[in-house]
Amino acid sequence: MIDATGMPQSAVLLGGTSEIGLEVLGALASRRLERVVLAGRDPAALGPAGERLERAGVREIHLVSCDVGRSDDLERLLGEAETALGSVDLLVVATGLLGTAELDRLTPAVVQEMFAANASGPAAATAGFAQRMASQGYGRIVVLSSVAGLRVRRANFVYGAGKAALDGFALGLADALAGTGVGVTIVRPGFVRTRMTAGMKPAPLSSEPADVARAVLGALEADRGVVYVPPALGPAFLLLRLLPRSVFRRLPG
Amino acid sequence: MSASGRRLLAGWGGRPASSAEVVCPATTGEAAAVVARAADEQGPVLARGLGRSYGDAASSAGGTVLDLTGLDQVLGFDESSGLLRAEAGISVEGLLRFSVPRGFFVPVTPGTRQVTLGGAIAADVHGKNHHLDGSLGAWVRSIRLATPAGERLLAPAGEGAGFWATVGGMGLTGVVLDATLELVPIETSYMLVDTERGADLDECMSLMSERDEEYRYSVAWIDCLKGGSGLGRGVLTRANHAGLADLRAAAPRRAGAPLSFSPRQVARVPVTPPFRLPSALAVTAFNEVWFRKAPRRRTGELQSLGAYFHPLDGVGSWNRLYGPAGFTQYQFVVPFGAEAVVREVVEALGARGVPSLLAVLKRFGAADPAPLSFPAPGWTLALDLPLSVPGLGELLDGFDELVASHGGRVYFAKDGRLRPELVSEMYPRLEDWRRACDDLDPARVFQSDLSRRLHLRKA
Ligand SMILES: Cc1cc2nc3c(=O)[nH]c(=O)nc-3n(C[C@H](O)[C@H](O)[C@H](O)COP(=O)(O)OP(=O)(O)OC[C@H]3O[C@@H](n4cnc5c(N)ncnc54)[C@H](O)[C@@H]3O)c2cc1C
Ligand SMILES: NC(=O)c1ccc[n+]([C@@H]2O[C@H](COP(=O)([O-])OP(=O)(O)OC[C@H]3O[C@@H](n4cnc5c(N)ncnc54)[C@H](OP(=O)(O)O)[C@@H]3O)[C@@H](O)[C@H]2O)c1
């Protein structure tokens, strides 16, 4: 169940090896989290992820192999999560693939894989869990979106376009879920230092996975629908979105 | 059966919320029929009263919730014994409207009249008279309970396990259809109230310890935002029922209708504002005014029943003032001798500047035999806390540890966030209760969000 301070007891992490996702679950483990399903496409990497959560105090950990690009995997995940956890209090959607934005490398397969990891896969999974949560009468979905989706930039436009789709999907889903007892929290970080951004020059206002985890817990406590990490990115992107395209295009980075 | 359908339910604090199929039986027979079919239904079943528990006790996500407020009839009353039988959905206000003009008062009333008889039994509610009169369970003579296997008539005498598991059992043994209650005779509908200020927590506590036994009703309101030497200052209001002679002496004009009872709501908060109102600043100001306006000492003031017992009922839906993030009430009891715990909690709240508008301190008397009943001899403190305060969960977790390690406990009827691991420490007779509960409902059809969160029905 989810308590009055927004803290869940069971959770599914989609993108079971995500650094940000694991940091969020670790923080929740110090509150009320007891049971977890880690869903990821690399079974070998899921083991150590599970051990990390065990050390953080999670009592029960289930590993499910799942590629979000495959709908049969998603169907199986929905069933296995229900069997393992009984009811799913929280879904954390943390799959993502920065991939490439170089025109030469954007083959149909590459673009499709990126949209699967950033948009269609997580959207499909989220819809499936949302249905089940609505019928169980409660639940919370945390979607890791990104400021990259708020105004798509040349530098990562395929990733950004995927995030834009997912963010819009999550906003609409939140409205569709009104009155069901299921809530959606959309998290929009800027640059976070994880393996996804390894080797890249940190953008201004960069943060650590622990900052994202703190922000997510704060949003759950206050029952907030959208949260920026760091918060200053909210007003900054409000302005960036208003810039004419000719100016925006010339911004550095 | 009137309206039924899927609805979002929450407690008085607004969070957590969950949706369930709500059915509104029009007769106790209909309610019993829903319970009889319950075993075949998907999902859990639960009774709900007026939803005045603060957290998730009266919600059952994805299940069937029986809204019993339509079952509000008095079924019988015997003036010579004071025994009244009524349907479970009658409110304390409904009971009072019936009984006060006849010269009787409910034996125990919580701080609001807007609770049902069934909800009051399920939480084994206490009032300002606990130090002398115990909690409601002590005054209940019989309970008619609907279980999946049929109806049971439960009484405290003899084996009594089912009765005492239902009293304080938070709706998890079955659905109370009706109950018989002993009322207490009164000569007037007025109270004689003595008010006193305590300069700090120690003084409040010693004033209460010294002369509480002279008053049937006693309570103190504590200011949790005042630091320094005034830490835990408060206002004590203690009272006895006014006799006819008292009323004639104090207000001869009212003595013509000594048992009149017409409680009124003077205002109502119409909608939830998109923000919360009680900021630390506003609460500090409020507390200051309220402390200053209380007399240092005043005795024998005549007050109506409503003014003394249910001052909050004057404003409807005041819980909306806490905004969408909602609020919780933290109520704990610690044994006599553990006064330091109360002090530490008040200190911690003041130091953090957590705005607690209403902090109520009371001395409890002897406990009753119900294994999940909250009251036990000692001090109880109840605090309303906005959930929008960052880090509130961790702060309260710290209080829990402190309370549990001193042999205390928190109140399920107010809870929405206790750590499940602490339940068996706080309620050492949990296993006795589980056995009795399983005897009445072996399939564990009755579940609430509270019972699932705290794993009450299974280890
Ligand atoms: C302003 C305020 C002041 C309060 N002051 C006090 C106080 O001084 N002392 C005190 O003890 N409490 C106090 N309370 C708490 C309140 O008395 C309890 O929470 C009480 O249970 C509420 O009754 P209800 O009818 O609203 O029940 P609900 O909140 O609807 O339900 C509470 C529990 O009772 C069960 N239940 C309800 N009806 C039945 C039934 N027919 N059969 C079986 N189970 C049933 C539910 O399943 C649930 O577990 C206060 C609450 C408020 C809002
Ligand atoms: N880091 C940042 O700067 C930043 C900023 C804003 C938003 N975010 C978002 O935050 C989330 C977590 O990112 P992170 O920083 O923690 O990076 P990460 O550690 O690389 O996590 C991304 C996760 O997605 C998984 N994944 C990718 N494609 C998948 C697929 N088809 N099927 C299943 N799993 C797939 C990855 O699994 P594999 O290991 O198997 O590839 C990995 O577990 C992502 O949604 C990301 O877009 C990150």
Side-chain angles (χ1 to χ4, degrees):
Chain A
M1 303 306 297
I2 295 175
D3 77 3
T5 67
M7 294 300 121
Q9 294 174 302
S10 70
V12 172
L13 174 58
L14 194 72
T17 57
S18 144
E19 278 187 57
I20 293 176
L22 289 169
E23 196 71 30
V24 170
L25 294 199
L28 290 171
S30 71
R31 309 285 300 122
R32 295 291 184 270
L33 192 62
E34 302 167 344
R35 294 164 290 131
V36 163
V37 165
L38 297 180
R41 58 178 169 179
D42 179 1
L46 285 176
E51 282 157 24
R52 172 172 167 194
L53 289 183
E54 218 172 322
R55 283 193 298 277
V58 176
R59 270 215 302 274
E60 237 182 72
I61 294 154
H62 307 266
L63 309 178
V64 175
S65 81
C66 168
D67 183 329
V68 292
R70 302 172 53 103
S71 36
D72 48 343
D73 274 17
L74 292 178
E75 290 289 353
R76 193 169 39 77
L77 171 64
L78 289 170
E80 287 185 19
E82 194 163 75
T83 313
L85 301 178
S87 50
V88 178
D89 298 352
L90 172 73
L91 170 69
V92 178
V93 182
T95 59
L97 188 58
L98 205 46
T100 180
E102 282 174 47
L103 206 48
D104 306 348
R105 293 171 55 198
L106 291 179
T107 61
V110 166
V111 174
Q112 239 158 16
E113 192 201 356
M114 287 179 66
F115 269 85
N118 294 320
S120 56
T126 303
F129 280 102
Q131 280 175 352
R132 277 156 202 252
M133 286 176 174
S135 90
Q136 84 189 3
Y138 76 100
R140 169 68 54 171
I141 298 169
V142 168
V143 177
L144 280 153
S145 174
S146 168
V147 292
L150 294 182
R151 178 96 196 236
V152 177
R153 292 185 298 138
R154 163 73 188 89
N156 58 16
F157 73 96
V158 186
Y159 173 79
K163 285 296 185 190
L166 183 63
D167 196 286
F169 176 86
L171 280 173
L173 181 68
D175 292 342
L177 286 168
T180 61
V182 184
V184 178
T185 296
I186 299 170
V187 188
R188 295 175 182 157
F191 186 105
V192 188
R193 290 168 219 264
T194 68
R195 64 193 165 122
M196 180 178 269
T197 54
M200 295 168 59
K201 188 167 121 341
L205 296 175
S206 69
S207 53
E208 303 292 331
D211 300 322
V212 182
R214 243 190 317 278
V216 170
L217 262 67
L220 296 183
E221 280 180 345
D223 193 10
R224 265 198 294 275
V226 176
V227 59
Y228 290 86
V229 194
L233 284 177
F237 267 81
L238 210 63
L239 292 177
L240 276 183
R241 285 163 92 170
L242 298 176
L243 285 184
R245 206 170 144 209
S246 54
V247 180
F248 184 72
R249 200 186 293 150
R250 272 183 238 119
L251 289 183
Chain B
M1 195 118 23
S2 51
S4 84
R6 188 93 173 184
R7 268 178 47 201
L8 193 60
L9 298 174
W12 188 242
R15 283 176 73 197
S18 70
S19 70
E21 198 65 33
V22 178
V23 297
C24 305
T27 64
T28 53
E30 282 181 7
V34 174
V35 174
R37 283 197 309 271
D40 317 325
E41 300 274 332
Q42 296 275 323
V45 175
L46 188 74
R48 179 179 174 99
L50 281 160
R52 259 29 175 220
S53 46
Y54 277 67
D56 46 8
S59 311
S60 196
T64 304
V65 171
L66 289 97
D67 175 340
L68 292 185
T69 51
L71 307 181
D72 59 356
Q73 298 302 303
V74 172
L75 300 173
F77 181 58
D78 175 10
E79 303 240 356
S80 61
S81 61
L83 289 183
L84 174 139
R85 188 167 154 246
E87 292 179 340
I90 193 170
S91 65
V92 164
E93 174 159 330
L95 287 172
L96 291 174
R97 284 184 191 278
F98 177 87
S99 72
V100 172
R102 291 174 169 79
F104 286 88
F105 194 59
V106 292
V108 170
T109 174
T112 170
R113 290 183 297 271
Q114 304 307 326
V115 305
T116 64
L117 176 59
I121 291 172
D124 193 16
V125 297
H126 57 271
K128 298 176 180 178
N129 54 341
H130 191 277
H131 60 294
L132 291 182
D133 292 332
S135 49
L136 186 67
W139 300 82
V140 178
R141 295 293 167 256
S142 69
I143 293 171
R144 196 155 65 93
L145 186 78
T147 75
E151 283 177 31
R152 300 277 298 267
L153 193 64
L154 303 172
E159 215 255 305
F163 178 89
W164 291 113
T166 300
V167 169
M170 302 309 292
L172 300 169
T173 58
V175 174
V176 175
L177 298 173
D178 60 59
T180 302
L181 197 63
E182 184 180 333
L183 302 184
V184 298
I186 49 174
E187 290 178 13
T188 74
S189 57
Y190 293 90
M191 304 300 294
L192 286 177
V193 184
D194 289 0
T195 306
E196 255 175 294
R197 286 193 337 203
D200 58 22
L201 188 63
D202 286 345
E203 195 184 11
C204 289
M205 285 179 143
S206 67
L207 284 172
M208 292 178 96
S209 305
E210 277 160 27
R211 290 175 41 247
D212 249 11
E213 268 56 32
E214 294 168 27
Y215 300 93
R216 187 153 193 177
Y217 304 95
S218 165
V219 73
W221 303 71
I222 301 292
D223 179 357
C224 285
L225 278 178
K226 179 80 182 165
S229 62
L231 180 92
R233 67 179 180 180
V235 177
L236 274 68
T237 54
R238 298 188 282 192
N240 287 305
H241 289 286
L244 208 46
D246 300 318
L247 185 61
R248 282 200 190 104
R253 292 214 334 270
R254 297 192 204 167
L259 289 166
S260 71
F261 181 71
S262 50
R264 268 187 309 270
Q265 200 180 73
V266 294
R268 189 159 191 282
V269 180
V271 291
T272 302
F275 47 82
R276 73 189 162 85
L277 289 183
S279 68
L281 212 63
V283 175
T284 305
F286 173 89
N287 286 359
E288 189 65 33
V289 168
W290 153 90
F291 184 80
R292 295 283 158 214
K293 110 176 185 337
R296 229 169 270 287
R297 189 174 161 76
R298 176 172 60 201
T299 56
E301 186 198 358
L302 200 66
Q303 286 187 10
S304 70
L305 288 175
Y308 180 68
F309 285 103
H310 313 115
L312 294 172
D313 287 352
V315 181
S317 305
W318 56 264
N319 55 337
R320 289 180 173 156
L321 291 177
Y322 282 89
F327 70 118
T328 188
Q329 187 171 94
Y330 189 70
Q331 183 172 8
F332 66 92
V333 59
V334 286
F336 293 120
E339 287 76 13
V341 173
V342 179
R343 162 172 286 277
E344 210 169 307
V345 167
V346 173
E347 251 167 20
L349 287 170
R352 290 277 299 262
V354 179
S356 177
L357 198 53
L358 304 166
V360 177
L361 179 70
K362 219 208 109 54
R363 279 172 72 246
F364 276 157
D368 68 23
L372 285 199
S373 176
F374 167 65
W379 295 97
T380 182
L381 186 69
L383 309 147
D384 278 358
L385 304 167
L387 285 166
S388 52
V389 172
L392 185 71
E394 274 159 308
L395 185 70
L396 296 183
D397 279 3
F399 293 171
D400 289 343
E401 299 286 342
L402 193 66
V403 165
S405 67
H406 285 81
R409 57 172 65 125
V410 303
Y411 190 8
F412 291 138
K414 309 286 178 75
D415 181 57
R417 34 80 30 211
L418 179 64
R419 190 182 281 281
E421 289 82 353
L422 285 175
V423 172
S424 57
E425 201 176 325
M426 292 183 167
Y427 290 88
R429 292 170 57 214
L430 180 64
E431 284 307 323
D432 295 346
W433 176 81
R434 280 183 175 146
R435 259 192 305 281
C437 202
D438 280 350
D439 279 349
L440 289 165
D441 173 30
R444 298 182 182 166
V445 167
F446 293 100
Q447 293 277 2
S448 60
D449 291 354
L450 174 98
S451 74
R452 291 167 68 190
R453 177 169 57 81
L454 296 179
H455 313 310
L456 290 181
R457 295 215 61 188
K458 62 170 192 286

